[in-house]
Amino acid sequence: MEPLYTISESSHDGLVRLALEGEFDLSGAPTITDRVRAHLTADTTAGIVIDLSAVTFLDSSGINALLESRRLATESGRAFRASGARGPVAQVLDLTGVADYLAATPPTPDGEAP
């Protein structure tokens, strides 16, 4: 069975952009955190941006993967932002109360904003 999602990666000046496309449920959600975790192990990664503009479905597993990714980035002192959600995906993020949290760049462990 073909996955119902893809993740494209690009990087510029230490900022890694993961562009998600398709449906992120229990089958695809772990891929998000795996990719984020892999990039956070690189010393050259200053931050992670997750582009949700082409995501057509996101369930609680996908939301959890985004929250876990933000936690991992914050703990490693890296910037994190998930943005671009549209339509039903934006509604789900708003209804669950995580849209602003995922879009805000967290402070680093030393209290400074990256």
Side-chain angles (χ1 to χ4, degrees):
M1 181 175 189
E2 290 283 321
L4 300 174
Y5 63 89
T6 60
I7 300 177
S8 304
E9 299 182 14
S10 61
S11 181
H12 182 70
D13 291 335
L15 190 61
V16 175
R17 180 179 175 270
L18 302 176
L20 281 53
E21 182 176 348
E23 300 179 8
F24 286 87
D25 56 13
L26 186 58
S27 66
T31 306
I32 299 169
T33 50
D34 289 347
R35 295 275 182 102
V36 168
R37 188 177 282 114
H39 283 290
L40 292 175
T41 61
D43 290 335
T44 57
T45 300
I48 306 279
V49 174
I50 297 186
D51 180 356
L52 301 171
S53 61
V55 174
T56 57
F57 178 80
L58 187 72
D59 72 359
S60 61
S61 299
I63 293 169
N64 187 52
L66 293 173
L67 293 171
E68 176 68 5
S69 295
R70 185 181 193 272
R71 183 189 67 78
L72 291 169
T74 301
E75 287 179 356
S76 69
R78 300 333 195 312
F80 177 90
R81 182 175 310 238
S83 60
R86 300 176 189 188
V89 174
Q91 289 175 330
V92 166
L93 294 176
D94 285 336
L95 288 172
T96 57
V98 301
D100 290 340
Y101 179 74
L102 291 171
T105 302
T108 60
D110 63 5
E112 298 292 320

